């Protein structure tokens, strides 16, 4: 518990200064915005029965994530929160949450095999956590089999991303219940070996994101605000600005603000190892770990 308080205190001053950060005790954030938070509770009074994420200890952390994600503006926060609740009802996401609570693993996710035959990533680094005890998410983006991913049927891809995001949220909720601090993933994207021919696949991804929003009748990323505390893009190619221009409109603004980009190998290593102990971090990300880390 002493370690837990230490890691929480590192973010505590941020809440009082009006700049909410991950690892801040949740009650400090709420206290710094008490009137706004109370107004939101009143506005959503008739909706807080609609999902398990509105009940018990999860209620406040979900509300705070939405408040931070949508700038503490009560009308906007309430609208986005209700959209999230409708999404959860429409796609029975509470049932997915229940299956995770009962022990369902990511490998049981619909579409898992077809996606991870093409991915080079891990939802949750199995060797350990970041130095601040945040969960870690890694991917070697340029080694994806983009043609295989693009060929996945839309219904399978939709179910996969719903289960995927709910799993990430489930992990963060467990971290909150253990620490009582706001938690977010440390995400690292390795672009080693990127080449211009892959930019067309980025455009395809952007098009798929637009179509998914229409199919699901919601911007799914808006249903899961503040998933990430840090996002590192390492071994960035010279043409990354072209890629960033394509993908930025599909990424929440606050997440964009958390992105740090490094091109050199030495600076990429420092960036990653400052957040995760090298003994836990795969060598592709500047660490010393040489075992299996990708999800299969």
């Amino acid at each position: 518990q002493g370690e837990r308080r230490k890691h929480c205190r590192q973010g505590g001053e941020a809440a009082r200064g009006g700049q909410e950060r991950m690892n801040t005790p949740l009650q400090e954030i709420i206290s710094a915005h008490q009137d706004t938070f109370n107004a939101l509770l009143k506005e959503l009074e008739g909706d807080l029965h609609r999902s398990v994420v509105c009940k018990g200890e999860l209620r406040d952390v979900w509300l705070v994530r939405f408040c931070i994600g949508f700038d503490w503006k009560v009308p906007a926060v309430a609208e986005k929160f209700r959209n999230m609740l409708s999404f959860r009802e429409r796609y029975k996401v509470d049932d997915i949450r229940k299956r995770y609570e009962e022990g369902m693993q990511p490998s049981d996710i619909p579409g898992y095999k077809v996606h991870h035959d093409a991915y080079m990533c891990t939802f949750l680094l199995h060797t350990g956590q970041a130095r601040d005890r945040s969960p870690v998410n890694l991917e070697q983006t340029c080694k994806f089999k983009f043609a295989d991913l693009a060929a996945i049927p839309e219904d399978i891809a939709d179910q996969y991303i719903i289960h995927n995001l709910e799993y990430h949220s489930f992990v963060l909720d467990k971290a909150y219940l253990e620490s009582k601090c706001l938690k977010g993933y440390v995400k690292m994207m390795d672009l080693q070996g990127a080449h211009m021919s892959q930019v067309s696949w980025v455009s395809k991804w952007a098009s798929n994101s637009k179509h998914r929003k229409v199919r699901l009748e919601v911007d799914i990323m808006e249903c899961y605000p503040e998933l990430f505390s840090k996002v590192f893009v390492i071994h960035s190619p010279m043409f990354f600005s072209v890629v960033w221009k394509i993908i930025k409109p599909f990424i929440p603004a606050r997440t964009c603000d958390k992105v740090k980009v490094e091109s050199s190998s030495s600076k990429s290593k420092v960036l990653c190892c400052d957040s995760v102990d090298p003994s836990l971090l795969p060598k592709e990300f500047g660490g010393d770990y040489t075992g299996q880390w990708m999800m299969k």
Side-chain angles (χ1 to χ4, degrees):
Q1 287 189 351
E3 281 297 304
R4 187 181 81 181
R5 287 192 294 269
K6 171 186 172 184
H7 289 292
C8 285
R9 281 198 303 270
Q10 290 174 349
E13 292 297 324
R16 291 184 287 276
Q19 294 179 324
E20 298 81 18
R21 296 175 186 169
M22 297 301 174
N23 300 303
T24 300
L26 191 74
Q27 287 307 312
E28 287 191 19
I29 297 175
I30 292 173
S31 295
H33 300 271
Q34 193 67 63
D35 290 345
T36 302
F37 192 77
N38 289 344
L40 180 64
L41 286 175
K42 184 176 181 180
E43 174 67 25
L44 290 172
E45 185 176 4
D47 294 285
L48 296 178
H49 67 283
R50 295 172 59 186
S51 171
V52 295
V53 301
C54 304
K55 301 173 183 177
E57 292 186 88
L58 292 184
R59 184 199 71 176
D60 286 0
V61 71
W62 272 73
L63 288 173
V64 166
R65 288 185 186 280
F66 272 79
C67 285
I68 295 173
F70 300 102
D71 300 321
W72 293 92
K73 297 176 181 176
V74 171
V77 173
E79 177 188 2
K80 301 299 184 182
F81 200 84
R82 290 188 179 110
N83 289 346
M84 177 273 294
L85 293 173
S86 296
F87 159 77
R88 296 186 73 87
E89 292 167 344
R90 187 180 308 120
Y91 294 101
K92 303 185 184 307
V93 184
D94 277 5
D95 290 345
I96 296 172
R97 169 66 64 116
K98 184 178 180 181
R99 291 199 291 275
Y100 283 131
E101 291 172 346
E102 292 172 347
M104 182 173 74
Q105 298 299 309
S107 56
D108 300 319
I109 290 175
Y112 178 88
K113 186 178 187 305
V114 69
H115 280 83
H116 287 269
D117 283 347
Y119 278 149
M120 300 280 278
C121 72
T122 182
F123 289 173
L124 187 64
L125 184 62
H126 69 82
T127 54
Q129 301 170 316
R131 295 182 190 275
D132 63 8
R133 297 196 174 182
S134 297
V136 180
N137 176 301
L138 306 178
E139 66 176 60
Q140 287 189 287
T141 318
C142 296
K143 293 185 178 181
F144 288 5
K145 298 175 182 176
F146 293 103
D148 292 352
L149 291 171
I152 296 173
E154 291 177 349
D155 59 333
I156 295 176
D158 289 348
Q159 279 298 312
Y160 174 83
I161 194 169
I162 291 170
H163 282 74
N164 179 328
L165 290 172
E166 185 64 16
Y167 176 77
H168 282 73
S169 177
F170 175 66
V171 169
L172 292 181
D173 286 348
K174 287 203 303 181
Y176 161 69
L177 292 173
E178 292 171 359
S179 69
K180 305 306 179 187
C181 294
L182 189 65
K183 289 288 184 180
Y185 271 86
V186 175
K187 184 175 183 67
M188 300 180 184
M189 303 173 65
D190 176 23
L191 301 188
Q192 185 76 51
H195 48 86
M196 277 295 294
S197 63
Q198 293 174 321
V199 174
S200 62
W201 292 112
V202 177
S203 298
K204 174 70 173 174
W205 172 85
S207 177
N208 287 345
S209 296
K210 288 180 181 179
H211 293 149
R212 178 177 292 116
K213 182 177 180 179
V214 174
R215 289 195 305 273
L216 299 184
E217 301 178 51
V218 71
D219 183 340
I220 193 168
M221 294 307 297
E222 289 188 348
C223 295
Y224 295 95
E226 297 299 298
L227 285 181
F228 303 105
S229 60
K230 302 173 184 176
V231 181
F232 300 151
V233 178
I234 62 172
H235 304 125
S236 169
M238 292 181 64
F239 58 83
F240 179 72
S241 60
V242 177
V243 176
W244 185 239
K245 186 175 180 180
I246 296 171
I247 66 175
K248 188 176 180 180
F250 300 94
I251 301 174
R254 276 187 53 86
T255 301
C256 289
D257 292 341
K258 298 171 187 176
V259 174
K260 293 184 179 180
V261 181
E262 285 292 355
S263 56
S264 78
S265 293
S266 59
K267 290 183 179 180
S268 293
K269 178 176 180 176
V270 169
L271 184 64
C272 294
C273 292
D274 277 352
S275 287
V276 180
D277 189 281
S279 67
L280 307 176
L281 199 60
K283 59 183 178 59
E284 293 89 342
F285 295 83
D288 301 324
Y289 181 73
T290 57
Q292 174 65 32
W293 62 269
M294 291 175 290
M295 299 172 75
K296 293 296 183 185

